[in-house]
Amino acid sequence: MSGQSLLVPGELSPVRSVPGNIRRPEYVGRPAPTPYTGPEVQSAETIEAMRIAGRIAAQAMEEAAKLIAPGVTTDELDKVAHDYMCDHGAYPSTLGYRGFPKSLCSSVNEVICHGIPDSTVLRDGDIVNLDVTAYIGGVHGDNNATYLCGEVDEESRLLVERTREALNRAVKAVKPGRQINIIGRVIESYAKRFGYGVVRDFTGHGINSSFHSGLIIPHYDSPHATTVIEPGMTFTIEPMLTLGTHEYDMWEDGWTVVTKDRKRTAQFEHTLVVTDSGAEILTLP
């Protein structure tokens, strides 16, 4: 594994502004979102709106990822995604969600998820996950991917490649009539082939007009995930695989989640809608 030193918190830049004509999610300026009480199966109109939100989120992530290189700060990546979403009429969903201060999550090396963009400078050999969600037309589109920064060691490169493959396999496993736990079963069985840990406490989720609807999508074979998959359901799959333990610690910021053994971790995510025969990915650029 790479011999990079462990991450430490950097300095935060001021909160970025969003043009006043862009519609805000209802939770902005509030401690928490209103609990979602609607259906998990969405209307054709909602799904079409989510295609737009998903495409903008995917394109914003792509634009930010183009900047990834040694010497670039994670705050600079945040600015690119923020500006892209605003320029396309979308609100960055993470900005103000339960007080989160930035427009994407940037999770580097041992950070499992929810890293806050700041003055941290990317180094040659880092791996960095960008998690971008866009809100437009009253709905959210959520995606993330892990990228290589410069010359990355083989163990880390394989972790990233195999985590992407775990997501691909999970998407193919989505079929109406199956239980949600088929998703975690496919991911966990694949990850075990390489001795990877599978994060259990952070999951995929239902998504629609709500950022997190309450539907839970575990990435391990959970006996409790017995909800039957139905056409029209919309949710994310976002496996987090580690080179060591699935256990974690959280920084004092209340957001940044790191592996307990500080070994590296990778993640990939798409927002999906269930079709009559499988799943359509809504977060394609």
Side-chain angles (χ1 to χ4, degrees):
M1 193 185 103
S2 169
Q4 297 280 45
S5 58
L6 298 178
L7 292 170
V8 295
E11 297 294 322
L12 287 179
S13 64
V15 174
R16 304 191 198 284
S17 63
V18 177
N21 63 317
I22 293 178
R23 178 179 173 184
R24 273 76 169 151
E26 56 82 25
Y27 53 73
V28 174
R30 301 175 57 237
T34 302
Y36 178 72
T37 57
E40 298 297 344
V41 172
Q42 302 304 310
S43 68
E45 292 76 17
T46 296
I47 293 165
E48 183 54 37
M50 289 181 68
R51 285 192 183 96
I52 296 169
R55 186 163 57 248
I56 290 173
Q59 291 169 335
M61 185 174 73
E62 267 202 349
E63 287 302 307
K66 290 177 183 177
L67 203 65
I68 291 174
V72 173
T73 68
T74 54
D75 189 64
E76 290 174 86
L77 304 179
D78 182 78
K79 182 180 188 305
V80 171
H82 176 94
D83 289 349
Y84 187 94
M85 285 185 273
C86 291
D87 288 348
H88 289 79
Y91 185 92
S93 300
T94 60
L95 185 61
Y97 179 77
R98 297 183 182 271
F100 192 84
K102 291 295 174 181
S103 299
L104 59 70
C105 299
S106 56
S107 301
V108 180
N109 295 344
E110 69 269 20
V111 179
I112 295 172
C113 59
H114 304 158
I116 301 174
D118 58 18
S119 62
T120 296
V121 177
L122 296 178
R123 303 161 296 181
D124 187 57
D126 282 343
I127 60 173
V128 55
N129 179 274
L130 301 183
D131 193 336
V132 179
T133 310
Y135 178 79
I136 188 171
V139 298
H140 301 267
D142 185 4
N143 70 161
N144 76 56
T146 303
Y147 299 91
L148 310 182
C149 181
E151 295 295 321
V152 174
D153 67 273
E154 181 73 356
E155 185 178 38
S156 298
R157 188 189 64 76
L158 285 172
L159 173 69
V160 171
E161 181 182 299
R162 290 165 177 167
T163 306
R164 182 191 293 111
E165 176 62 16
L167 173 59
N168 292 340
R169 290 175 180 233
V171 171
K172 290 175 183 174
V174 173
K175 305 284 184 187
R178 291 179 170 177
Q179 294 182 342
I180 288 291
N181 56 19
I182 186 65
I183 295 168
R185 189 175 309 139
V186 166
I187 292 168
E188 186 174 39
S189 63
Y190 179 69
K192 279 184 173 179
R193 287 168 48 181
F194 311 105
Y196 295 154
V198 181
V199 173
R200 302 167 78 89
D201 293 285
F202 300 90
T203 68
H205 52 88
I207 184 169
N208 38 65
S209 60
S210 172
F211 196 168
H212 299 87
S213 73
L215 177 66
I216 302 298
I217 312 294
H219 303 120
Y220 65 98
D221 187 2
S222 170
H224 306 294
T226 56
T227 300
V228 175
I229 298 170
E230 299 178 61
M233 291 175 74
T234 50
F235 53 81
T236 72
I237 303 176
E238 45 189 295
M240 294 156 250
L241 305 186
T242 72
L243 290 175
T245 182
H246 68 270
E247 296 180 344
Y248 68 92
D249 294 319
M250 187 175 287
W251 283 3
E252 290 183 3
D253 60 25
W255 284 104
T256 306
V257 179
V258 296
T259 54
K260 187 169 281 291
D261 57 13
R262 303 305 189 264
K263 291 187 177 180
R264 288 187 168 188
T265 176
Q267 182 185 15
F268 284 83
E269 173 187 23
H270 276 307
T271 295
L272 315 173
V273 59
V274 181
T275 67
D276 289 336
S277 58
E280 175 194 346
I281 296 172
L282 298 177
T283 39
L284 292 175

